[in-house]
């Protein structure tokens, strides 16, 4: 498991492109046959992926890194499959996940196994995990079960649907909030006008992008903006003080996960377009 430490915004504004990417961009998560994890000290958020092929993959990490006897001893987990059909087994109970299905796994689950229905077309399980203080039941939700919020317009090139899976009025959790946003064809912008939320951090996974497509992920303090050039199935870590917006060369989808002081989706501090630099 790779460890990423927190960064002060006054330091970040001095970073060049290479340094910015080193701290905030996560690449090569979806490796066939492997479990890959990145631990961020921003709200102790773990992001990762499991791509099972010929056999099952067990969710585990070094006991020294976790400080616990098993992965979910003091944590909860959100999973969204962005690949072909697969199965997640939680303490012996199997949950089949199609593309864009979500599974929440609560505190205390001792064994989590990932499997693909077809090794030649594997599932791609994207993972978000946060510390937890209470046990909530394991729950599966398909995209049709998520709470949809339609936002934006074609005139501003940001017509999109936000699908909320793990949230206050959906799948219950201690602090993890998770869902995905799907841009309509012909739209390229998300979360602009932008915002910050000092009370929570956020992690973005961009996917469903063409091979030659990119997203310019905007980050930094509103008056000290920077950007990451991102490609398909790459992740951006967004600290609480940073904006998090993107514009692509074509429509795309992204999974967002949040952790922090509350679970209120609309708890954000909007940035007037006249102030952003």
């Amino acid at each position: 498991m790779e460890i990423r430490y927190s960064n002060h915004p006054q330091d970040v504004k001095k970073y060049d492109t290479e340094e910015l990417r080193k701290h905030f961009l996560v690449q090569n998560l979806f490796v066939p046959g492997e479990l890959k994890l990145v631990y961020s000290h921003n709200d102790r958020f773990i992001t990762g992926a499991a791509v099972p092929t010929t056999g099952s993959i067990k969710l585990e990490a070094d006991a020294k890194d976790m400080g616990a006897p098993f992965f979910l001893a003091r944590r909860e987990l959100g999973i969204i499959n962005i690949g072909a059909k697969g199965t997640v087994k939680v303490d012996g109970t199997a949950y089949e996940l199609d593309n864009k299905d979500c599974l929440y796994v609560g505190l205390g689950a001792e064994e989590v196994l990932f499997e693909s229905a077809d090794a030649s077309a594997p599932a791609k399980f994207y993972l978000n995990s946060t510390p937890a203080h209470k046990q909530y039941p394991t729950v599966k939700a398909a995209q049709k079960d998520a709470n949809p919020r339609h936002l934006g317009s074609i005139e501003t090139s940001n017509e999109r649907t936000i699908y909320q899976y793990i949230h206050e009025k959906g799948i219950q959790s201690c602090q993890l909030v998770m869902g995905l946003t799907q841009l309509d064809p012909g739209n390229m912008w998300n979360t602009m006008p932008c915002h910050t939320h000092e009370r929570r951090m956020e992690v973005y996974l961009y996917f469903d992008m063409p091979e030659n497509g990119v997203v310019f992920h905007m980050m930094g303090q509103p008056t000290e903006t920077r950007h990451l050039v991102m490609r398909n199935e790459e992740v951006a870590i967004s600290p609480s003080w940073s904006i998090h917006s993107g514009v692509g060369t074509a429509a795309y989808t992204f999974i967002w996960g949040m952790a922090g002081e509350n679970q209120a989706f609309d708890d954000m501090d909007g940035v007037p377009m006249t102030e952003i630099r």
Side-chain angles (χ1 to χ4, degrees):
M1 183 161 61
E2 181 187 351
I3 307 297
R4 299 280 183 101
Y5 291 96
S6 301
N7 307 79
H8 195 285
Q10 292 301 309
D11 295 328
V12 172
K13 71 179 184 179
K14 302 171 187 174
Y15 290 176
D16 61 13
T17 298
E18 182 179 357
E19 192 76 2
L20 201 70
R21 291 171 69 85
K22 173 184 174 183
H23 290 286
F24 299 105
L25 175 65
V26 180
Q27 298 175 293
N28 303 316
L29 270 186
F30 295 89
V31 178
E34 293 187 20
L35 169 71
K36 303 279 282 188
L37 299 169
V38 177
Y39 184 113
S40 171
H41 276 271
N42 290 291
D43 285 298
R44 301 193 177 273
F45 195 105
I46 295 177
T47 187
V51 185
T53 50
T54 55
S56 62
I57 294 176
K58 184 178 180 179
L59 177 64
E60 56 187 350
D62 189 284
K64 182 179 178 181
D65 290 336
M66 300 299 299
F70 53 94
F71 195 95
L72 295 176
R74 297 295 302 272
R75 285 184 162 269
E76 58 190 355
L77 174 69
I79 305 163
I80 296 180
N81 181 15
I82 67 167
K85 182 180 290 187
T87 300
V88 181
K89 293 181 179 178
V90 181
D91 289 338
T93 301
Y95 300 86
E96 286 193 359
L97 268 64
D98 285 317
N99 185 264
K100 296 185 177 69
D101 284 357
C102 174
L103 183 70
Y104 170 81
V105 184
L107 171 76
E110 293 193 29
E111 184 179 67
V112 180
L113 300 174
F114 303 99
E115 299 175 356
S116 292
D118 182 354
S120 64
K124 294 181 178 180
F125 297 109
Y126 177 62
L127 317 176
N128 284 175
S129 176
T130 55
H133 61 274
K134 177 181 177 181
Q135 186 178 59
Y136 285 98
T138 297
V139 177
K140 173 189 168 182
Q143 188 173 14
K144 64 180 177 60
D145 302 319
N147 179 48
R149 297 180 62 169
H150 306 286
L151 299 175
S153 67
I154 192 65
E155 288 78 15
T156 50
S157 191
N158 65 351
E159 196 166 6
R160 63 202 189 278
T161 303
I162 298 172
Y163 294 93
Q164 297 172 302
Y165 291 93
I166 304 170
H167 64 113
E168 285 183 304
K169 298 179 181 178
I171 298 175
Q172 295 298 290
S173 68
C174 292
Q175 67 162 322
L176 179 64
V177 181
M178 193 175 182
L180 67 84
T181 299
Q182 201 163 326
L183 273 67
D184 289 358
N187 292 268
M188 278 78 77
W189 277 99
N190 79 76
T191 324
M192 185 60 74
C194 61
H195 61 261
T196 61
H197 26 73
E198 284 285 352
R199 294 152 294 282
R200 290 177 300 175
M201 62 86 71
E202 191 159 6
V203 174
Y204 274 21
L205 165 71
Y206 290 99
F207 69 108
D208 281 354
M209 294 168 57
E211 185 177 350
N212 63 345
V214 300
V215 169
F216 291 84
H217 176 86
M218 310 301 173
M219 63 165 295
Q221 290 179 300
T223 57
E224 287 283 352
T225 58
R226 303 289 186 270
H227 73 268
L228 298 169
V229 176
M230 306 191 61
R231 291 172 171 80
N232 192 43
E233 297 180 1
E234 294 185 341
V235 168
I237 298 172
S238 181
S240 60
W241 46 262
S242 176
I243 66 168
H244 34 284
S245 177
V247 60
T249 51
Y252 52 88
T253 304
F254 64 96
I255 293 172
W256 40 267
M258 293 183 279
E261 292 291 347
N262 63 42
Q263 295 178 304
F265 185 84
D266 294 317
D267 179 16
M268 59 187 70
D269 303 308
V271 179
M273 294 297 286
T274 53
E275 292 184 11
I276 194 167
R277 296 178 185 175

